[in-house]
Amino acid sequence: MLKKNLVAVSAAALLFGSLSAQAADYAIDKKGQHAFIQFRIQHLGYSWIYGTFKDFDGSFTFDENNPAADKVNVTINTNSLDTNHAERDKHLRSADFLNASKYPQATFTSTSVRKDGDELDITGNLTLNGVTKPVTLEAKLLGQGKDPWGGYRAGFEAEGEFALKDFNMTKDLGPASQKVQLMISLEGVRQ
């Protein structure tokens, strides 16, 4: 009887231990530059302008078996915007767009994560230019596993979009340039 109880307790400990080990916290690999937040917007309907934010940080919680437990938090320094054109960058940082001097940071905080086939729909509050609105990102796990330095990593790519006017950016850039598309690729190191 004692032996059966011991086996049952051991089995339960292993089961619950393995379940709780599924959820893990990750820090975005900013130091190793294995993370990118990029965007694009049409220029007059003739071409795309691509840009990136060079300075951001964040974390996420990932549980492959329970996406509802997943969380994402990212802070972006809006002054780090770079479109490879100094005058344009200065204009995009101005009060016409990001208003970086008044709002030096943008944030994204997830409110829900839902699995949809192979993708994750990550809905969260984006705060940009002093305005907070919900935005949904479509994310996909690229891979996870041990790294050569003894750590454990998980990597994702995500896409989403938002309308400029939703974040009080009312400068008229023409009908083809009303929405910004986001392209995100990041690696996180398990903590």
Side-chain angles (χ1 to χ4, degrees):
M1 181 74 159
L2 181 60
K3 192 173 184 180
K4 282 184 182 179
N5 285 342
L6 211 55
V7 169
V9 168
S10 297
L14 284 172
L15 176 65
F16 287 114
S18 67
L19 287 177
S20 63
Q22 295 297 324
D25 294 326
Y26 292 79
I28 293 175
D29 186 9
K30 177 183 172 181
K31 184 178 176 183
Q33 290 296 308
H34 295 116
F36 302 89
I37 297 178
Q38 299 177 316
F39 62 89
R40 72 180 191 168
I41 187 168
Q42 283 206 11
H43 180 249
L44 306 174
Y46 306 136
S47 65
W48 290 99
I49 294 173
Y50 285 81
T52 189
F53 289 97
K54 293 190 166 198
D55 188 15
F56 61 92
D57 206 356
S59 62
F60 60 90
T61 300
F62 175 57
D63 184 339
E64 196 166 12
N65 297 319
N66 183 16
D70 294 352
K71 296 176 185 155
V72 179
N73 291 292
V74 177
T75 300
I76 301 167
N77 292 320
T78 54
N79 229 7
S80 72
L81 172 135
D82 184 356
T83 65
N84 201 30
H85 189 276
E87 286 303 309
R88 178 175 49 229
D89 294 348
K90 184 178 174 183
H91 187 209
L92 291 174
R93 291 180 190 124
S94 78
D96 282 345
F97 295 98
L98 295 176
N99 206 354
S101 61
K102 187 173 181 180
Y103 303 108
Q105 292 186 325
T107 60
F108 178 82
T109 303
S110 65
T111 54
S112 71
V113 178
R114 186 177 61 82
K115 190 162 178 66
D116 183 14
D118 288 342
E119 293 188 347
L120 297 168
D121 291 336
I122 304 171
T123 300
N125 291 322
L126 175 62
T127 300
L128 180 64
N129 194 26
V131 177
T132 301
K133 296 268 185 182
V135 170
T136 298
L137 303 174
E138 294 177 0
K140 188 171 188 174
L141 175 66
L142 295 176
Q144 61 181 321
K146 293 179 182 178
D147 65 26
W149 308 281
Y152 191 91
R153 294 172 180 258
F156 294 85
E157 65 179 358
E159 295 180 348
E161 70 176 22
F162 63 85
L164 292 175
K165 67 180 181 178
D166 287 347
F167 292 91
N168 285 342
M169 295 181 224
T170 56
K171 185 83 170 166
D172 187 5
L173 300 173
S177 306
Q178 300 300 309
K179 291 189 175 182
V180 174
Q181 295 180 4
L182 299 172
M183 300 157 293
I184 301 161
S185 177
L186 59 85
E187 238 176 69
V189 180
R190 189 162 65 188
Q191 301 300 289

